[in-house]
Amino acid sequence: LRSAFVWEGLPSPAQVVWRQAPLSITEVELDAAAGPAVEQLRRRYAPQHLRLDLTKAPLMRYVVAKDPESDRWLLQVTSHHLIEDAASADPFFMEIDAILSGQEDELPAAEPFRNVVAQARLGISEAEHERYFREQLGDVDEPSLPFGLTQVLGDGEGVVEVYRKLPQALNDRLRGQAQRLGVSLASLCHVAWGQVVARTSGRETVVFGTVLLGRMQAGAGADRAMGLSINTLPMRLDLDGRGVAAGVREPHLRRGGLLHHEQAPLGLALCCSGGAAGTPLFSVLLNYRHIGAEKAEMPSLSGAEWLDGEERTNYPLIMAVEDFEAALGLTVQVVEAVSADRVIGLMQRALESLAEALEAAPEMPLRSLDVLPAEERELIVETWNRTEAAAFPSNRFVHDLFEEQVVRTPDAVALVQGDVKLSYGQLNAQASRLAHRLIGLGVKPDDRVGLCVDRSPEMVIGLLAVLTGGGALEPGPPSSAGEPLG
């Protein structure tokens, strides 16, 4: 808690522990006419626009205020993740509670965080870390970017959080299957999340970040040390034709390997992939958390009430699976451009589909697990395909109808993928140029033209060009491991 971080004039950033780091506490006066007191504090001291100076310890800000609508006092605490994680909360609040209760003399000796740091740095060598991650990621040359989310350096603004407790029956089924197969429940959840990532990014080999406790290799007493130990490392899953029962063992083994390398620098791991430098390898995280028997944001303090809390990271999407020992919950944080409820629905359906397959069809290919909730499947397959009442000229070609739409609305958006938007006019112009190129290469009416491309604007441009040029489209497998175009 006395740490600051310096980097100017140094070959690499350094964590510096100050001998004295007095805590600054600011008392403010709230306006009864300006709305609820908690909301006033949240707006005034939002970390998105009021940052902590990393070079000055402690990296904590305490603000107290009298609630103008009641007799209570409010305390807002802002602290940086660089100096603490969830495991730090228990000893932190236990000590405060003991001091407030007059039992300070009964507290055990503090566990110096430097012991955790020393154990991590004196453990596995950087060369060994690098060998491991090159084996895991060396052939991964494309990023996994679900929902087209590419921004991994966000500030946590514009994020929506949704929590859902899973049905008890689903919890019991998943725990039963994990026990039967001799794998952890966390491994099953990684498989399910991998399915969601695969279906929303169009890839079968996927990589996402997984959050590790970081204290498994830190030695005795590490569980009582306050400080940041958690780490995020890339988790690779190959969702291929293997049977589901065999497929769930892979993440179990991979997670075991990651635990052995739990203090490897994320930057080093990312450099071991085959992707281009500067390209994010993944943009979403899975955080499997052991919460305990009841959901609680923070340990309780005598005479105090926990009102609200907020955690944010730089990633645009985080799925947290919360293990309450006999129950499971899902918490998703995602940027507003993506529906948080939809993401939770996809994850729940992936878990249901995994349980169903392990119970009734363990040899079913891993890639065929379902992620679409019933309502979304009905919307896509049934509602949007109800064309019985729609008049369609059977004597007209699709590309002719498209060109008529171009004349009617040339500037309307016709196609969107991520940040790419094409109007009808732009799409038609690119398709026409490619059609003339095909004709120049000798394509005649009814000649078959192969199309081998990922799901993308180029796929639609190619399809229209082949039809416009008079050819017959012959779809092939995509250039990367995604779903067949069909």
Side-chain angles (χ1 to χ4, degrees):
L1 301 182
R2 292 181 283 117
S3 290
F5 297 83
V6 295
W7 54 90
E8 291 188 5
L10 299 177
S12 61
Q15 177 178 354
V16 178
V17 181
W18 292 26
R19 294 191 182 279
Q20 298 293 329
L23 179 63
S24 173
I25 302 175
T26 303
E27 183 176 337
V28 298
E29 185 172 342
L30 302 179
D31 183 358
V38 174
E39 289 302 320
Q40 289 188 55
L41 284 176
R42 180 184 284 113
R43 288 194 304 268
R44 190 182 302 186
Y45 295 98
Q48 284 80 8
H49 62 76
L50 194 62
R51 303 301 180 91
L52 294 168
D53 184 348
L54 297 186
T55 66
K56 296 180 180 178
L59 295 181
M60 309 172 78
R61 181 172 57 238
Y62 278 57
V63 179
V64 295
K66 177 75 164 56
D67 189 338
E69 297 182 347
S70 71
D71 292 332
R72 67 181 179 177
W73 282 81
L74 300 175
L75 170 66
Q76 186 195 54
V77 179
T78 302
S79 59
H80 204 291
H81 222 331
L82 277 169
I83 62 167
E84 65 175 8
D85 55 23
S88 302
D90 285 333
F92 183 80
F93 281 91
M94 179 196 72
E95 291 189 12
I96 292 176
D97 203 31
I99 293 169
L100 293 176
S101 304
Q103 300 174 335
E104 181 177 356
D105 294 339
E106 300 177 19
L107 286 171
E111 185 70 28
F113 187 68
R114 62 176 175 268
N115 294 350
V116 179
V117 175
Q119 188 67 30
R121 295 181 66 89
L122 296 174
I124 298 173
S125 68
E126 186 171 304
E128 189 176 345
H129 286 318
E130 184 174 350
R131 280 194 299 272
Y132 172 78
F133 285 105
R134 288 204 182 280
E135 290 175 1
Q136 297 294 313
L137 306 171
D139 62 339
V140 179
D141 56 6
E142 292 288 339
S144 299
L145 305 173
F147 304 103
L149 298 174
T150 60
Q151 178 56 266
V152 298
L153 298 175
D155 61 4
E157 193 161 12
V159 169
V160 177
E161 180 175 311
V162 172
Y163 169 77
R164 179 186 298 180
K165 185 176 181 180
L166 294 179
Q168 189 61 41
L170 176 58
N171 165 81
D172 296 342
R173 292 165 65 195
L174 289 168
R175 290 183 191 276
Q177 290 301 317
Q179 185 175 19
R180 182 180 67 83
L181 294 169
V183 300
S184 66
L185 179 56
S187 296
L188 297 188
C189 293
H190 278 71
V191 172
W193 183 237
Q195 293 288 343
V196 176
V197 174
R199 300 303 175 82
T200 54
S201 63
R203 302 187 58 78
E204 282 194 342
T205 294
V206 298
V207 179
F208 54 87
T210 185
V211 180
L212 303 172
L213 181 62
R215 298 176 186 244
M216 302 296 287
Q217 314 292 330
D223 58 324
R224 293 186 288 107
M226 285 185 279
L228 174 67
S229 291
I230 65 167
N231 196 12
T232 298
L233 290 175
M235 176 76 170
R236 171 190 178 156
L237 288 181
D238 298 294
L239 304 172
D240 47 30
R242 284 174 299 168
V244 174
V248 299
R249 293 187 174 91
E250 179 194 6
H252 184 71
L253 295 174
R254 287 188 188 274
R255 289 188 71 247
L258 286 178
L259 290 175
H260 186 61
H261 294 270
E262 64 176 354
Q263 287 298 341
L266 175 59
L268 181 151
L270 296 179
C271 290
C272 294
S273 76
T279 302
L281 185 61
F282 58 84
S283 62
V284 301
L285 305 186
L286 177 68
N287 186 4
Y288 190 92
R289 313 193 280 202
H290 293 273
I291 303 295
E294 298 180 359
K295 181 177 176 63
E297 297 293 346
M298 285 287 186
S300 61
L301 286 175
S302 301
E305 177 187 4
W306 177 259
L307 296 178
D308 197 10
E310 181 180 281
E311 286 184 355
R312 291 293 182 266
T313 77
N314 52 286
Y315 287 96
L317 171 56
I318 301 175
M319 171 62 69
V321 180
E322 293 163 337
D323 188 338
F324 304 117
E325 297 178 358
L328 283 175
L330 302 177
T331 297
V332 66
Q333 292 182 2
V334 64
V335 291
E336 293 171 327
V338 179
S339 166
D341 285 314
R342 182 179 182 230
V343 175
I344 280 194
L346 294 172
M347 181 61 169
Q348 180 172 338
R349 179 57 196 142
L351 289 167
E352 291 169 347
S353 179
L354 179 58
E356 291 163 3
L358 290 173
E359 291 166 351
E363 299 304 318
M364 185 176 81
L366 195 60
R367 63 159 63 98
S368 62
L369 289 176
D370 189 18
V371 302
L372 281 182
E375 315 82 57
E376 187 169 351
R377 177 171 292 280
E378 182 178 1
L379 177 67
I380 295 173
V381 178
E382 303 294 337
T383 304
W384 288 347
N385 283 303
R386 287 188 185 131
T387 57
E388 301 89 350
F392 185 82
S394 59
N395 60 339
R396 305 289 305 284
F397 294 116
V398 170
H399 57 283
D400 292 332
L401 296 174
F402 173 77
E403 289 174 352
E404 290 179 3
Q405 184 67 31
V406 172
V407 173
R408 286 193 297 269
T409 59
D411 297 324
V413 175
L415 200 154
V416 177
Q417 184 188 43
D419 296 331
V420 177
K421 290 185 179 180
L422 293 179
S423 68
Y424 278 96
Q426 292 170 326
L427 181 57
N428 184 58
Q430 294 191 39
S432 296
R433 285 196 296 270
L434 182 55
H436 284 95
R437 173 66 174 159
L438 292 174
I439 293 171
L441 292 172
V443 173
K444 303 183 296 298
D446 297 330
D447 280 353
R448 292 189 300 175
V449 179
L451 181 64
C452 179
V453 65
D454 291 330
R455 293 180 184 273
S456 61
E458 289 73 21
M459 180 190 76
V460 181
I461 292 167
L463 185 152
L464 289 170
V466 171
L467 297 177
T468 301
L473 181 68
E474 183 170 315
S479 59
S480 65
E483 296 181 14
L485 299 179

